[in-house]
């Protein structure tokens, strides 16, 4: 592959990952766990393709202004999504614990009521 073609393929691969990250952002906001899971699998595949595309480059893509800006943008999106997903997971875990505690309290009250 010619260097220009390799660079174009790298940018295309980076944009594919960016699009997946935008879809992931929406899925996290919608709390759609099945879609999040599906996108994570696609992101892993996309990242492998991106790394392979990077290996075909003769120069470090960070030396190109366009590529450097896109890489930073994608890394920021990934970081933001990771934080958002952690918050979603923590909130779901907290709700689950509250539900379990609520059920056990309700169960104790019911049990006490039935015993009297």
């Amino acid at each position: 592959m010619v260097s220009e073609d390799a660079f174009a393929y790298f940018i295309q691969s980076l944009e594919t990952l960016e699009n997946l990250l935008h879809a992931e952002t929406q899925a996290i906001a919608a709390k759609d766990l099945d879609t999040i899971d599906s996108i994570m699998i696609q992101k892993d595949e996309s990242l492998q393709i991106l790394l392979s595309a990077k290996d075909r480059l003769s120069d470090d893509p960070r030396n190109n202004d366009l590529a450097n800006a896109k890489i930073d943008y994608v890394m920021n999106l990934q970081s933001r999504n990771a934080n958002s997903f952690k918050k979603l997971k923590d909130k779901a875990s907290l709700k689950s614990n509250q539900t379990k505690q609520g059920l056990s309290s309700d169960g104790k009250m019911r049990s006490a009521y039935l015993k009297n």
Side-chain angles (χ1 to χ4, degrees), residues 28-69:
I28 291 169
K31 299 175 184 157
D32 185 347
L33 298 179
D34 290 336
T35 300
I36 293 168
D37 188 47
S38 171
I39 291 171
M40 285 182 170
I41 292 167
Q42 292 175 60
K43 275 183 14 188
D44 287 343
E45 294 168 0
S46 180
L47 187 57
Q48 291 303 315
I49 291 168
L50 180 63
L51 292 173
S52 174
K54 181 185 176 285
D55 288 342
R56 295 179 190 169
L57 297 176
S58 55
D59 294 328
D60 183 352
R62 288 288 192 172
N63 294 332
N64 178 285
D65 291 340
L66 171 69
N68 191 45

Side-chain angles (χ1 to χ4, degrees), residues 66-116:
L66 171 69
N68 191 45
K70 284 190 172 291
I71 290 167
D72 285 343
Y73 183 71
V74 165
M75 290 177 70
N76 287 334
L77 273 176
Q78 174 58 38
S79 178
R80 190 178 72 203
N81 283 359
N83 289 334
S84 296
F85 184 71
K86 182 182 181 315
K87 287 177 186 173
L88 175 64
K89 194 173 114 182
D90 291 348
K91 191 181 279 188
S93 179
L94 180 64
K95 254 186 193 176
S96 175
N97 286 341
Q98 287 174 341
T99 301
K100 288 177 186 172
Q101 288 175 350
L103 287 176
S104 66
S105 295
D106 290 346
K108 288 177 187 174
M109 286 193 319
R110 183 170 187 247
S111 171
Y113 176 77
L114 291 175
K115 285 181 183 176
N116 291 325

